[in-house]
Amino acid sequence: QVQLVESGGGLVQAGGSLRLSCADSGRTFSGYAMGWFRQAPGKEREFVAAISWADSFTYYSYTLYADSVKGRFTMSRDNAKNTVYLQMNSLKPDDTAVYYCAGRTRASITREAHEYDYWGQGTQVTVSS
């Protein structure tokens, strides 16, 4: 059973950085695409970033980002550690939200929340101005 646990959230000033981690304590990520979503108070959950499982020929993992974070956030994965990361730089107050890790039982990436099968409990990120 997949059990996703996020960590790394906290309070940071605008312009600062945080790195979120998401570990699967239940089983391997093998074959799974992973995503990060966030939800701010009073707003709907929104897509942040996603990463595919490694291509079988190139071993390359594809990434996809929301326009609002492109160039500032980087998603990566360490399959040996069953962990994905979200490096967040140049943080803005608008990035304040609960960040959720999600996994889907397919290799390809998507920005659609309903296509993810597993979710973590979330970690709070607060960016002060």
Side-chain angles (χ1 to χ4, degrees):
Q1 182 178 355
V2 176
Q3 296 177 328
L4 303 178
V5 179
E6 302 99 333
S7 61
L11 173 64
V12 64
Q13 288 188 330
S17 299
L18 283 174
R19 189 177 80 155
L20 305 183
S21 300
C22 172
D24 177 6
S25 61
R27 56 151 288 165
T28 179
F29 278 159
S30 179
Y32 284 23
M34 303 295 295
W36 285 98
F37 291 77
R38 66 186 182 187
Q39 187 167 18
K43 295 186 177 181
E44 295 186 352
R45 187 172 299 190
E46 65 174 0
F47 169 77
V48 176
I51 189 166
S52 70
W53 180 247
D55 182 273
S56 57
F57 294 99
T58 65
Y59 301 103
Y60 179 80
S61 290
Y62 297 92
T63 53
L64 180 66
Y65 298 96
D67 288 344
S68 59
V69 307
K70 200 173 296 183
R72 300 188 298 122
F73 291 11
T74 302
M75 186 172 183
S76 61
R77 67 190 300 160
D78 185 335
N79 296 324
K81 295 182 179 180
N82 291 337
T83 303
V84 295
Y85 304 96
L86 184 67
Q87 178 65 44
M88 305 186 295
N89 299 328
S90 302
L91 283 162
K92 306 174 182 179
D94 284 349
D95 295 318
T96 295
V98 177
Y99 283 71
Y100 297 91
C101 174
R104 68 190 300 248
T105 55
R106 300 188 70 173
S108 59
I109 50 177
T110 175
R111 62 177 70 237
E112 301 298 327
H114 70 270
E115 295 194 17
Y116 287 83
D117 304 293
Y118 303 100
W119 293 83
Q121 82 290 348
T123 185
Q124 177 70 46
V125 171
T126 303
V127 184
S128 62
S129 57

